[in-house]
Amino acid sequence: MKTIICEMLGIEYPIFQGAMAWIANASLAAAVSQAGGLGIIAGGTAPVELIRDEVRKAKEITSKPIGVNIMLLSPYADEMAKMVCEEGIKVVTTGAGTPGKYMDMWKAHDIKVIPVVPSVAIAKRMVRSGADAVVAEGTEAGGHVGELTTMVLVPQIVDAVDVPVIAAGGIGDGRGMAAAFMLGADAVQIGTRFLTAYECTIHKNYKKKVLNAKDIDTVVTGRRTGHPVRIIKNKLSRRFAELDQALAPLDEYEKLGAGALARAVLEGDMDRGSIMAGQIAAMVDKEQSCKDIIIELMTEANTLLNKSSN
Ligand code: TUI
């Protein structure tokens, strides 16, 4: 299943690994790239030298293409934007904002720019400013999310822009992948399924939470702040709900959320930590290598798509 995205990026399979902040490091991204997908190192809100190290480590593990995601709310976004040029990265995805001001610099370094977008209007704006493709991310995804579902968002963006579209949010197996292709996507981006990969180095408590999650176990917190975030329900999500109820000042959300993702990922604090995961967590029930995940996805999706074309 070679698509226009495979050709554009020089990858074997049309599967991106979602750039999960504090989670998508050299170990995970290199394993996905080595298996033929596109591994993406997440910049998140980490200092730039930490991410530069991850990029260098990943390049020691694999010579295949590796992407970097720049989270545009990060205080280090400007430095991160320069770092990808210095390190010879050829694919950049962006999240939580518009990367227009970096576009000329990235183009001059022959970098393919693929913003993640939650709506048609933002997708069009990204393409006007020079995006090579867009990731259409539905609200089923984990982390910072928009309002629209993948089912609704992907076909509308496919119709609205003339660049390849990568579908994200709620895709965790070959059925979801095949469905995304039916909606017109040229690739998929998958985050949550990779949380339980052997090469994913998050705390074992985090993996257990994902493995045990049921269908209604995620919730979107902080809608009032303008930065809604999907996490697995826990004490922290209930505290956020209390702030909603009390119409608390918005800086209280910030205080509660500060450092919470790192607490979950690194310390395994499942009460006060922010356990970001998509709705698909309920369907993740085993630990596997990235290679096995990708083979399973491709086999299932190919079988379904072949059946539908007969
Ligand atoms: O970025 C994500 N997901 C994320 S980022 C993250 S880390 C974080 N840290 C602190 C605060 C918030 C998050 C965890 N998960 N997904 C991609 C995404 N991008 N979803 C939505 C958007 C988006 C939203 C608005 C992209 C562009 C946009 O443009 C607004 C504008 O008008 O510029």
Side-chain angles (χ1 to χ4, degrees):
M1 196 200 289
K2 285 259 177 210
T3 73
I4 189 167
I5 282 289
C6 298
E7 273 167 47
M8 181 190 280
L9 306 179
I11 58 177
E12 214 171 324
Y13 305 117
I15 299 175
F16 290 15
Q17 156 254 309
M20 301 167 283
W22 292 108
I23 296 172
N25 56 11
S27 169
L28 181 63
V32 171
S33 287
Q34 189 57 27
L38 181 72
I40 305 180
I41 293 170
T45 52
V48 68
E49 292 312 319
L50 220 107
I51 302 303
R52 192 193 299 276
D53 278 355
E54 293 302 313
V55 168
R56 291 182 180 175
K57 269 191 241 165
K59 283 185 174 172
E60 279 172 21
I61 305 172
T62 183
S63 56
K64 297 193 180 174
I66 291 256
V68 170
N69 174 270
I70 300 183
M71 210 282 280
L72 295 164
L73 294 171
S74 165
Y76 306 105
D78 285 354
E79 293 166 64
M80 214 69 89
K82 280 192 215 117
M83 182 276 286
V84 292
C85 300
E86 291 158 5
E87 298 300 319
I89 287 293
K90 292 295 167 216
V91 192
V92 166
T93 64
T94 64
T98 306
K101 65 173 171 172
Y102 308 123
M103 213 52 111
D104 289 346
M105 175 173 70
W106 287 340
K107 295 278 160 169
H109 285 83
D110 203 21
I111 292 173
K112 299 288 183 216
V113 184
I114 311 184
V116 179
V117 297
S119 73
V120 170
I122 295 175
K124 282 182 170 170
R125 197 188 329 137
M126 299 292 194
V127 172
R128 270 200 304 277
S129 71
D132 296 284
V134 292
V135 177
E137 186 185 78
T139 194
E140 300 94 319
H144 180 50
V145 289
E147 287 291 337
L148 295 176
T149 60
T150 301
M151 178 80 94
V152 167
L153 183 65
V154 171
Q156 292 191 70
I157 292 188
V158 165
D159 287 347
V161 300
D162 56 4
V163 298
V165 175
I166 299 99
I171 304 169
D173 64 11
R175 293 172 297 178
M177 184 168 174
F181 277 84
M182 290 292 190
L183 296 175
D186 301 294
V188 293
Q189 174 165 287
I190 291 176
T192 301
R193 174 86 188 256
F194 285 111
L195 285 172
T196 61
Y198 296 137
E199 298 90 343
C200 180
T201 57
I202 58 175
H203 198 282
K204 65 178 189 316
N205 296 354
Y206 201 131
K207 291 194 181 190
K208 264 193 220 151
K209 274 279 184 191
V210 173
L211 290 167
N212 292 332
K214 302 286 182 295
D215 54 355
I216 57 168
D217 283 352
T218 72
V219 65
V220 175
T221 60
R223 284 195 194 280
R224 287 179 62 229
T225 66
H227 296 129
V229 174
R230 181 179 301 284
I231 63 176
I232 294 182
K233 289 175 186 170
N234 65 351
K235 276 198 181 134
L236 178 72
S237 71
R238 287 194 285 278
R239 281 288 298 136
F240 276 122
E242 283 164 16
L243 295 185
D244 290 344
Q245 279 274 311
L247 295 177
L250 297 186
D251 65 328
E252 294 206 19
Y253 288 82
E254 213 157 293
K255 273 187 234 153
L256 195 58
L261 179 57
R263 265 201 296 282
V265 171
L266 306 174
E267 296 165 28
D269 183 342
M270 295 295 103
D271 291 330
R272 295 185 318 128
S274 170
I275 315 162
M276 293 188 192
Q279 291 183 332
I280 206 73
M283 289 167 64
V284 177
D285 54 10
K286 55 183 184 285
E287 298 183 55
Q288 282 173 297
S289 67
C290 290
K291 187 171 175 204
D292 285 350
I293 292 173
I294 288 176
I295 291 172
E296 204 177 291
L297 284 162
M298 288 305 304
T299 308
E300 279 176 16
N302 269 324
T303 304
L304 290 168
L305 291 168
N306 287 337
K307 247 194 249 168
S308 76
S309 64
N310 287 334

